[in-house]
Every structure is written in structure tokens, then in C-alpha cells.
Amino acid sequence: MNDFKFPADFLWGAATASFQVEGYPLADGAGPSNWHVFSHKPGTIANDHNGDIGAGQYKKYKEDVQLMRWLGLKAYRFSISWSRIFPEGTGKVNEAGLQYYQNLIDELLANGIEPWPTMFHWDLPQALEDRFGGWQSKDTAKAFGDFVAYVTSKISDRVTNYFTVNEIVCFTRSGYESGVFAPGLKLGSKAVAQTVHNGCLAHGLAVQAIRANAVKPAKIGLAENMTAAVPVYEIEENINAARTSFRHGCADKLVPMLEGAYPDFWLENMGGNVPEYTDEEMKIISSPIDFVGSNIYAPTYVEADDNSPFGFRNLEFPDGYPKMNMDWLRIGPGISYWTPRFLKELWGVDSYITENGCAAQDKMSLDGEVYDTDRLMYLRQHFLAAQRAVSENIPLKGYFVWSLMDNFEWSSGYDKRFGLIYVNYQTLERTPKLSAKFYREVIKANAVV
């Protein structure tokens, strides 16, 4: 009998991002981020919402830590707002901004919860957007390295695990190519490829900054979304095809980080749109890391195809394919097995699922409860897939559910709820959903229940 148990040291956590949950983005001397500016432009966010409220965690962090303790979380993944600490991106430090994160870290530790900070989760100081063109410039990557060095020197007496950046494609291509995210630009292919390279360079500089400034030995990775390739059915040919598809989907980010160079097929395909880079930058980008964090939500089904130059074909989804309450969030729990498996097989790395969860049409019932059986179903199937991975000795070390609580869902504003905890945006009252109670029992049993 499979009792669906996890290893004794498996790390159960939940994740958030600063701009989404904190609110009060200009409080106590903070500078504006590009997301603050972008979300205040009419027409950029659903219903013209903005991040001024978030979930109010900036003032309610102690209450939120008690909810984490009730859940039984072993770790909390949160991000640090660059513009709270350096309002201009560089230069003068805003001590009040740093103190907020010091207080949060202390509160987590006092309640037996490990802090796992992400150094950048999309909210770039607007001053760097104005001065350098944001991620169009390598100067922004260098400024990020300096920011990370400073913060590490202040928190590393209590923090040992770090994520450098979150989802490079989202703060580069989505912000500078499609324009649906901050700063809302639509640049040409070569300029966009340069932003991606500069994001990778920022990661590498952050790895070096943490290693150089941490007062205790540090473990470092990044949180990356990737093509979550799944063999459409499990025969050897499709498994091999899915593994190849997975690596191809990582060609301009994880491949250079873990292999030290852009792959030949990618360089050939990019042609004249290859970004400008140096050998020294590639050494920085491939600075050794300790783990890879996977932000995974929806599958890409792959089958073997002998007529393809690379032997695989990514399949289209039929119109009726089931999905959660986001158009792109198609249900495919196998990703929580295949992603850590392919990370092991391709690069031999430990991994964490650093984001997984779903939007649902959550409503408060008359008895004051939120019965999100759809989210419970989604999470349970993903946990089962993750348990398959650990049962096969794949080095999946932990799981951070996205998200701890409802929050500002970027271009969707407050219309989409991803949280385990329901937030009333008028009162900021928190209510654990049915999925939170389920997750609490999973953590308590260290098994899928």
C-alpha cells in the first residue's frame, strides 16, 4: 500500500510576492516601483485596480505569521521590495524599509517558520526604469547585485536560503515585448532578448553577492517558470521527447545558468536577435547554485515526432480541455512529477516546487466559510504527483503553495483569487478556506490525505 508519505525533512511552505500582498507601497519613505506606476495608468489592470491595498501584509504581518503557524508551515517564501530599501534603486538606504523585513524575519523565526526570501519578484524601482530603461540595461543588473549584497549583509545572520529572481520571462518579455506587465513596453526581438539576458545576469550577480556577503553558509537558487513538459502518455519515446522539449523551453535561462552557455540550436534560431554578451557574463550567469525552484501551474503535452528536427512535438489543447479560473491554467498535475524528474535527469539538481496553486471563483458562504473544493482537488492531485517523485528518490525537497492568501493578481487586479486564505478587500479580514484546512492536515500528516 502507498501511504502517500513524504520524507521526514520535506519542506512544506507557502509563497507570496511583496507588491501583491504588502500594500502601502509608498509607506515610510519607500520609492515607487514600476508596478506602482504601471498599475496607476488607466486601462492597464482589470477594473483599474492597483497595488495600494494588496492584502495589507505590511501592517498585518504578525497576524499573517500566526495564520502560517496555524497552517503548520515550515517555511514562508516572500519577496523583498527593492524600492522600499533603495527608493532610487541605488544610493541612499531607507532604513524603515529594511526594518520591515527585519521584523518579518524575526517574527517568522519566533514562530518556528523558516524565512525564504526572494530578492526580486518583478517590482523594479521606477527610478531605474527612468534612468537606465530598466531591464534593457546591464546597469540595472549591476544595481541589483549591489542591492542584494547590502540586504544579504543585514539578514544573513538569520537567513540561510535565498531565491535570486522570480520568473525572468515575466519581468522581461511580458513587460518589454507584450507590454501586459510593467513597464508596458513593446520592443523589438533583439531588445527583448537583451532584457532576458540582463535578467539572467542579475541572477548571476545576485548569487555572487550572496556568497560574498552572507555571514553564514548560504543555499541559493532561483524561482523559474518553465515549459512544464509532460509525455502525453508514458512510453519511452514520449518521455525522451518531453525531456528534450523541457530543455528547449529552458534554452535562454536555465541552460546557460546550469551549462554555462546558450545552446547552439537557440543561437541559430535567434540569428541576428542574439543579445550582446561576453564570456565573463556567461561565467557570472553560471555561478553555481544549490537548487532550482519551479513555478509550475499548467502542462505542455509532448509526443515523439520523427519528422521534427529535434524529435518532439508540443501538442495543441482542444477547446474543451479543463482549466481553473484563469484561461491559461489548464489542469495537469503530472507536472509536479515530471518537472523535478527532468531537472534531475538533465542537470542533477535538487529542486523545490516554489509556486503551484490555482485561481478559483471563491465566495464566502452564509456560514462564513469558503468551500473551495476545486482548489482542494487541484492541490491534492499535484501533491500526489509530487509524492510519486519523492517515492522514486527524485530530489524534490519541498513545496510552496501559491498563494498563502488572496492578493493583487497583477494585470487581473483583485478579480482572481489564488489564496489558501480568503481576504475581504474592504476590511482586510482573513478567513482560511477549506483548502487551507486540507493543507494543514497534509502538513500535519506529512502525507497526502
Side-chain angles (χ1 to χ4, degrees), residues 47-270:
N47 302 309
D48 284 340
H49 292 162
N50 58 57
D52 292 0
I53 298 170
Q57 188 170 92
Y58 187 74
K59 294 186 177 179
K60 296 174 77 72
Y61 70 91
K62 290 187 178 183
E63 178 183 342
D64 291 344
V65 171
Q66 290 309 305
L67 285 167
M68 297 178 215
R69 183 174 181 175
W70 170 84
L71 273 166
L73 296 188
K74 310 298 183 189
Y76 178 44
R77 178 179 169 241
F78 60 95
S79 75
I80 294 176
S81 170
W82 186 349
S83 56
R84 285 201 192 279
I85 297 174
F86 287 92
E88 296 296 319
T90 59
K92 187 177 179 182
V93 172
N94 175 36
E95 295 291 347
L98 175 65
Q99 191 61 49
Y100 167 71
Y101 295 105
Q102 301 277 32
N103 294 344
L104 173 60
I105 289 166
D106 288 344
E107 192 72 14
L108 290 166
L109 291 170
N111 285 276
I113 301 164
E114 279 189 67
W116 283 60
T118 303
M119 294 304 201
F120 181 73
H121 196 133
W122 307 1
D123 47 349
L124 183 74
Q126 180 63 34
L128 298 182
E129 206 74 65
D130 296 338
R131 198 182 324 159
F132 299 139
W135 292 107
Q136 298 175 68
S137 172
K138 294 176 184 179
D139 288 329
T140 294
K142 293 170 185 173
F144 180 62
D146 293 340
F147 159 71
V148 171
Y150 177 78
V151 173
T152 301
S153 73
K154 299 299 182 181
I155 67 174
S156 56
D157 56 332
R158 288 152 294 149
V159 172
T160 55
N161 299 286
Y162 303 81
F163 298 100
T164 56
V165 296
N166 184 84
E167 297 184 354
I168 292 171
V169 70
C170 291
F171 66 82
T172 59
R173 291 191 178 279
S174 295
Y176 295 85
E177 183 175 49
S178 66
V180 296
F181 285 177
L185 301 181
K186 296 183 179 181
L187 305 180
S189 296
K190 186 176 178 67
V192 172
Q194 190 68 54
T195 67
V196 176
H197 174 80
N198 295 345
C200 292
L201 180 61
H203 155 77
L205 290 168
V207 173
Q208 295 189 349
I210 295 167
R211 299 266 188 236
N213 290 277
V215 299
K216 295 197 297 189
K219 291 194 173 181
I220 309 169
L222 78 162
E224 184 58 28
N225 56 350
M226 50 200 78
T227 300
V230 174
V232 67
Y233 49 89
E234 292 186 32
I235 60 171
E236 185 177 359
E237 294 88 341
N238 288 344
I239 293 170
N240 292 337
R243 187 187 304 107
T244 303
S245 173
F246 182 86
R247 182 173 179 270
H248 276 234
C250 299
D252 59 346
K253 295 177 283 292
L254 285 184
V255 170
M257 290 173 190
L258 297 171
E259 299 180 18
Y262 290 114
D264 290 341
F265 71 83
W266 183 81
L267 292 170
E268 183 177 339
N269 184 60
M270 291 293 289

Side-chain angles (χ1 to χ4, degrees), residues 361-372:
Q361 297 181 42
D362 301 318
K363 289 187 171 61
M364 186 77 72
S365 63
L366 292 176
D367 61 2
E369 301 284 344
V370 179
Y371 295 106
D372 57 337

